[in-house]
Amino acid sequence: MKPHRETDMTLGPILEWLPSETAPSTRPAWVVSGDFILPDGNRIYIPDQRTARAGWGRIGSTHIVDPVARPLPAAMAVTWFSLSEQQSYSAQVELPFDRLVAMFTTPLNNPLDDTDAAPDRLIVGFAPGGDVMVWAAGITGTVEVGLWQAEPTRLSMDEIIGEGDITPEALAEMLLKESLTDDEREALARAGPQPGLWRARAQRFIWAPEIVAATGRAFRLEALNGEIEWLPAAPAPAPRAAPERMRLYWHSTIGALVAELVFDPTESLTAFQKFTQDLPDRPLRLLLEPADADGGVEAVLTDGTLAYRFEGLSVAVYRA
C-alpha cells in the first residue's frame, strides 16, 4: 500500500494503514474487543472474537475496512482473555500521536536490496500479566510504538465469548488445544504463564552486530521485543533489545552466503543484562564470525574487555 500524503490540519496526515493483533505464540490470548480511536473520535476495530498467537510483534489477523486511507489513531481501547492465566484484562491508553506520524511518514531501509518502505500496519500484542504492546510494521521493519500495563477485569463468559454455559477453565482448555501442539501445551504446563516476561524482554541495550574475518553485506535482526530491523554491514551502536533471531549476509570464497541464527531467549537476555548491570549505557558489540566458507557462525558478546560466547545458538548457513 502506498501512503497518501493528504493532511487534515486537525487530524494529521491521511495514510493507508491496517490494524492487526498478536500474542506470544506459546501464550495465546482471546481478543474480546479492541478499537483504535482516531483524533475525531471515530473508531477502527482491531480484529476481535478470535485467538491471537502469531508471535510477539508479528502480524496476525488483519481487518480491512474502507476507506483504507485515514488518520492515525490517538488512543486505543482493548480487552482480552489470557488463556494461560484464565484472566481478563482491559486497557484504554493514549498513543504517542506525533511519534506515530513520524513512523508512518519515514521510510525504513532494507540495505540488502536498498528497498525503502514506511510502515502500513499497527499491531497490538497481548501478553500474560497484562502487558500490551503496539508496533508499527511494514515490509522493511517493525518498530515498537509503546508498552502499557492493562488492569485485570472481571467479565462474564457471555461477555468474553457470547456463551454463558462454559467455564473459564473449559474455554481456556478448548482454545489452547486448538492453538498449541501437545508438546507446547506440556511446556506451558511446566513453565506457567510467565507474567512480566515480555516486559523484561523489552529492555534495550546499546549494541551493534559486527562481522569478523569476512566481508559483510547486511544484517536482519529480530529482537526479543518483537522489533525487526534491517542493518547495514557496519551499523552504529544504538538502543536495541537483545537478539532472538538474526540473518547474517556476507561474501565468502564460494559466493554470497546467509546464516540463520536462533538464540536461546533466556541466554540472550541474561548475557546482555550481565554486561550492563553496573553500567546500563555501556556500548556492546556482538561479534559474528563465520567458521569457514560454508560452515557455522560463532557469536561473542563483548564490551571490549570481557567476552561471552553464546552456547545455545543454533545456526544454519545457505547460499544467498
Side-chain angles (χ1 to χ4, degrees):
M1 293 185 299
K2 295 182 179 179
H4 290 230
R5 293 301 178 182
E6 304 168 19
T7 300
D8 185 306
M9 296 303 292
T10 60
L11 302 179
I14 308 301
L15 303 169
E16 292 186 1
W17 62 273
L18 296 172
S20 186
E21 45 68 21
T22 194
S25 60
T26 57
R27 304 293 187 280
W30 176 260
V31 185
V32 177
S33 63
D35 291 287
F36 284 119
I37 305 169
L38 307 186
D40 61 3
N42 285 321
R43 294 181 174 231
I44 302 297
Y45 89 80
I46 298 159
D48 60 13
Q49 291 298 296
R50 68 195 67 210
T51 302
R53 61 161 310 242
W56 203 234
R58 304 302 172 254
I59 296 172
S61 300
T62 299
H63 171 47
I64 299 176
V65 60
D66 290 329
V68 175
R70 50 182 166 256
L72 291 165
M76 173 184 70
V78 291
T79 300
W80 77 95
F81 179 63
S82 174
L83 301 182
S84 60
E85 301 169 286
Q86 300 170 22
Q87 171 65 56
S88 296
Y89 294 95
S90 184
Q92 180 157 339
V93 299
E94 292 186 5
L95 298 174
F97 187 75
D98 291 342
R99 175 170 161 79
L100 272 179
V101 170
M103 286 179 172
F104 276 79
T105 55
T106 304
L108 301 172
N109 179 257
N110 173 351
L112 193 65
D113 58 13
D114 199 27
T115 300
D116 292 307
D120 60 4
R121 297 287 194 281
L122 271 178
I123 310 170
V124 186
F126 309 101
D131 290 333
V132 54
M133 185 176 279
V134 175
W135 300 265
I139 62 171
T140 53
T142 298
V143 184
E144 178 190 329
V145 175
L147 172 65
W148 293 270
Q149 178 65 54
E151 294 297 325
T153 186
R154 295 179 64 89
L155 297 177
S156 68
M157 294 310 297
D158 189 64
E159 291 174 303
I160 292 173
I161 202 168
E163 172 59 66
D165 294 331
I166 188 171
T167 66
E169 295 80 7
L171 174 63
E173 182 180 359
M174 177 183 71
L175 295 178
L176 287 173
K177 189 173 182 179
E178 291 177 356
S179 303
L180 304 181
T181 65
D182 291 344
D183 288 344
E184 288 172 333
R185 293 201 307 278
E186 289 177 6
L188 174 58
R190 289 193 302 269
Q194 298 181 289
L197 176 61
W198 285 267
R199 179 171 293 271
R201 290 180 175 181
Q203 182 179 355
R204 293 179 182 270
F205 310 90
I206 308 298
W207 71 278
E210 179 180 325
I211 190 166
V212 178
T215 302
R217 298 170 62 205
F219 301 94
R220 184 181 187 271
L221 167 66
E222 296 183 23
L224 288 176
N225 67 343
E227 290 188 318
I228 298 175
E229 183 180 9
W230 280 94
L231 297 166
R240 300 180 174 100
E244 182 170 16
R245 294 173 178 268
M246 291 187 71
R247 288 183 198 162
L248 164 61
Y249 296 82
W250 79 99
H251 291 291
S252 75
T253 57
I254 62 171
L257 298 177
V258 56
E260 296 273 1
L261 284 68
V262 180
F263 292 80
D264 175 89
T266 300
E267 181 187 29
S268 182
L269 180 59
T270 300
F272 276 79
Q273 288 176 331
K274 285 183 176 179
F275 271 94
T276 58
Q277 60 186 354
D278 297 323
L279 295 172
D281 295 329
R282 172 183 290 168
L284 304 175
R285 291 181 297 156
L286 179 61
L287 306 180
L288 300 170
E289 183 176 1
D292 50 52
D294 57 355
V297 176
E298 291 187 344
V300 175
L301 186 65
T302 180
D303 61 359
T305 302
L306 301 176
Y308 175 81
R309 187 177 305 276
F310 286 91
E311 298 178 353
L313 183 67
S314 173
V315 181
V317 178
Y318 309 94
R319 290 182 180 270

